[in-house]
Amino acid sequence: MRIVTSRGARLGALATVATLALSACGGGSIEAETEANESQAAEAAEAGGECGELNMAVNPWVGYEASAYVVGTVAQDQLGCTVNYKDLKEDVSWQGFGTGEVDVVIEDWGHPDLEKKFFEGEGDGTAMDMGPQGNVGIIGWYVPPWLAEEHPDILEWENLNKYAADFATSESGGQGQFLGADPSYVQFDEAIVSNLDLDFKVVFSGSEAASIEAFRKAEENKEFLIGYFYEPQYFMAEVPLAKVALPPYEEGCQADPQDVACDYPETELKKIVGTDWAASDSTAVGLVENFEWTNEDQNVVAGYIAGDGMSPEEAATTWIEDNQDKVDAWLG
């Protein structure tokens, strides 16, 4: 069974504009902010119709949340959309394209298996690629900086077995522990460990937050830890994790998930959308199609959320206020 968890439809454009103006007051009056946003929404409607509802999947990592809420907030406040944020795993998100429960996956890290199932051709045609969203994803194996500095040879995979006993935990059964993240993420760690004959056991943290806390603690207490991590990620500014060199990625080395024995590739992250939604006259289609930003942009918003404790809405609004020139380019 597929369970869709929704944060609920956002408030209507007028009520939301007023709320945001209150929370962001300091620059101008509530009336001026409201009038400006109403004017933008009206102009967009005159130019190309109305937005209607925008169903935005929110996958479980803060960088994705940053992208989703920035796009959603622009759609809501400047195009008059009603935005529904839905907290979903990656594969479940794609299932929603055919039913109309999901319109946009704003940050895809590469799922050839799902493309075969849902893209036109081999699949049912309910989903399509809407191009890059600007971020470049880097997945890999990382250790805390103290460990890389004290044992620099640990950054070569061939030396990992030498240190396996130092990585052992109560959960790894006498082997070294490799800390996986959320098992729903794009990951081949168990296959890599097996195919490289490493004396390690993959133990999944279960979430991005748990992995971050484990790396933070390992750095503070000078504990041995190796695990799955990725960029863009705001945490790297706090604790600059060191990447372990695995056998280099080559085209096709991840074709069979059971046989993977290579590093992860750098991935141009992209936007996946519902085919029917993309063909609609919603003014949000152009926004999503034009949306592109950088790893640095995303890390700023993710840092607001996870580091500064802002709500996703507040973080998005703060970034948008500081970067309206970029937003204007998305709106065309």
Side-chain angles (χ1 to χ4, degrees), residues 12-204:
L14 295 180
T16 304
V17 168
T19 301
L20 290 174
L22 279 169
S23 67
C25 62
S29 69
I30 295 173
E31 293 80 5
E33 291 285 344
T34 301
E35 184 177 333
N37 287 329
E38 284 179 352
S39 176
Q40 284 178 304
E43 288 174 7
E46 288 176 10
E50 297 181 354
C51 177
E53 292 200 5
L54 173 61
N55 296 308
M56 178 77 73
V58 181
N59 292 166
W61 59 91
V62 70
Y64 185 110
E65 192 172 34
S67 296
Y69 273 84
V70 164
V71 173
T73 299
V74 172
Q76 175 180 280
D77 293 349
Q78 301 189 34
L79 295 179
C81 310
T82 298
V83 183
N84 306 310
Y85 297 98
K86 304 190 177 186
D87 297 327
L88 301 168
K89 300 288 189 180
E90 294 168 86
D91 56 342
V92 178
S93 299
W94 287 56
Q95 296 174 37
F97 290 131
T99 63
E101 294 172 271
V102 171
D103 298 319
V104 178
V105 167
I106 201 65
E107 181 178 302
D108 175 67
W109 282 68
H111 289 86
D113 54 331
L114 295 176
E115 291 178 11
K116 288 180 181 178
K117 188 173 181 180
F118 296 105
F119 279 7
E120 186 176 2
E122 293 184 61
D124 63 13
T126 57
M128 60 177 283
D129 181 346
M130 197 166 251
Q133 51 97 288
N135 294 148
V136 177
I138 303 171
I139 300 173
W141 289 13
Y142 291 84
V143 298
W146 83 265
L147 186 54
E149 184 176 346
E150 194 160 314
H151 301 283
D153 64 329
I154 214 165
L155 298 181
E156 300 292 333
W157 73 268
E158 295 94 337
N159 299 318
L160 289 177
N161 279 344
K162 168 183 167 184
Y163 295 98
D166 295 305
F167 288 102
T169 70
S170 59
E171 297 181 74
S172 62
Q175 297 177 289
Q177 175 183 281
F178 178 90
L179 188 69
D182 182 327
S184 73
Y185 291 0
V186 174
Q187 57 87 26
F188 304 103
D189 301 319
E190 290 167 304
I192 294 171
V193 165
S194 175
N195 294 323
L196 294 181
D197 294 321
L198 297 176
D199 188 21
F200 282 74
K201 177 182 178 181
V202 177
V203 176
F204 292 98

Side-chain angles (χ1 to χ4, degrees), residues 281-306:
D281 61 0
S282 170
T283 54
V285 173
L287 166 63
V288 172
E289 187 171 15
N290 293 334
F291 168 66
E292 283 195 40
W293 67 350
T294 66
N295 285 16
E296 182 180 358
D297 289 328
Q298 186 184 97
N299 285 342
V300 169
V301 181
Y304 290 155
I305 298 169

Side-chain angles (χ1 to χ4, degrees), residues 306-329:
D308 298 339
M310 290 187 185
S311 69
E313 294 90 344
E314 183 183 6
T317 300
T318 300
W319 186 88
I320 290 165
E321 289 175 348
D322 292 337
N323 294 275
Q324 188 60 46
D325 56 333
K326 295 184 180 181
V327 173
D328 289 342

Side-chain angles (χ1 to χ4, degrees), residues 203-263:
V203 176
F204 292 98
S205 71
S207 71
E208 178 181 68
S211 291
I212 286 174
E213 187 55 35
F215 276 115
R216 181 181 286 125
K217 181 172 175 285
E219 177 63 14
E220 290 174 354
N221 300 330
K222 289 188 164 39
E223 298 170 347
F224 275 72
L225 180 67
I226 183 171
Y228 173 107
F229 212 67
Y230 41 87
E231 301 176 59
Q233 171 53 247
Y234 81 96
F235 178 66
M236 287 290 198
E238 176 187 339
V239 180
L241 303 179
K243 193 171 186 290
V244 175
L246 294 171
Y249 174 84
E250 296 179 358
E251 191 68 34
C253 73
Q254 294 181 349
D256 186 338
Q258 302 304 313
D259 295 336
V260 176
C262 61
D263 208 343

